[in-house]
Amino acid sequence: QVQVVQSGGGLVQPGGSLTLSCAASGNIFSIPIMGWYRQAPGKQRELVASITNSGSTRYADSVKGRFTISRDNARNTVYLQMNVLKPEDTAVYYCKMAVRQGVNGQPYDYWGQGTQVTVSS
């Protein structure tokens, strides 16, 4: 089994910064892709950023230049540094880990529990 646990989040003023963390543990061979998603009230869940195990990154247009995704492969952990936060960034943020549990296994998606980020004055 694999467990995915998030930390971070909370309330911040516009223009402020927050860092989210997400760590996977359990039966893990590798994690080819780690990512962050968010879901605002009344909206669909959307990709915020993703990073491969070789360090290639992808960002939603709305966060480019403000958010930075990074990973620590030794700790099976992904981070999301969020700067210059805007009210429209308010959402529940989820991490997703595509976990391979064996050398020949197909990756399977595991989600974190979600964490609220609220940007408000």
Side-chain angles (χ1 to χ4, degrees):
Q1 283 293 342
V2 174
Q3 296 78 42
V4 178
V5 178
Q6 298 178 217
S7 60
L11 173 65
V12 65
Q13 292 187 342
S17 298
L18 280 175
T19 302
L20 305 181
S21 301
C22 176
S25 61
N27 183 17
I28 298 170
F29 177 76
S30 67
I31 308 178
I33 300 175
M34 300 179 177
W36 288 97
Y37 291 73
R38 67 186 180 187
Q39 187 166 19
K43 294 188 176 181
Q44 289 189 335
R45 191 173 297 188
E46 63 175 358
L47 173 69
V48 176
S50 64
I51 184 168
T52 68
N53 52 10
S54 62
S56 295
T57 58
R58 175 185 173 189
Y59 293 93
D61 288 342
S62 59
V63 307
K64 282 180 181 177
R66 300 188 297 121
F67 290 12
T68 302
I69 189 171
S70 61
R71 61 187 284 169
D72 183 337
N73 290 330
R75 292 180 169 81
N76 292 325
T77 300
V78 63
Y79 305 94
L80 186 67
Q81 175 67 43
M82 303 183 290
N83 298 325
V84 194
L85 281 159
K86 305 175 181 180
E88 51 264 41
D89 294 318
T90 296
V92 178
Y93 284 70
Y94 299 89
C95 67
K96 187 178 79 170
M97 303 281 203
V99 177
R100 182 174 282 131
Q101 293 184 290
V103 63
N104 294 318
Q106 291 297 313
Y108 183 84
D109 291 339
Y110 291 87
W111 290 87
Q113 77 276 20
T115 187
Q116 178 69 45
V117 171
T118 301
V119 185
S120 175
S121 54

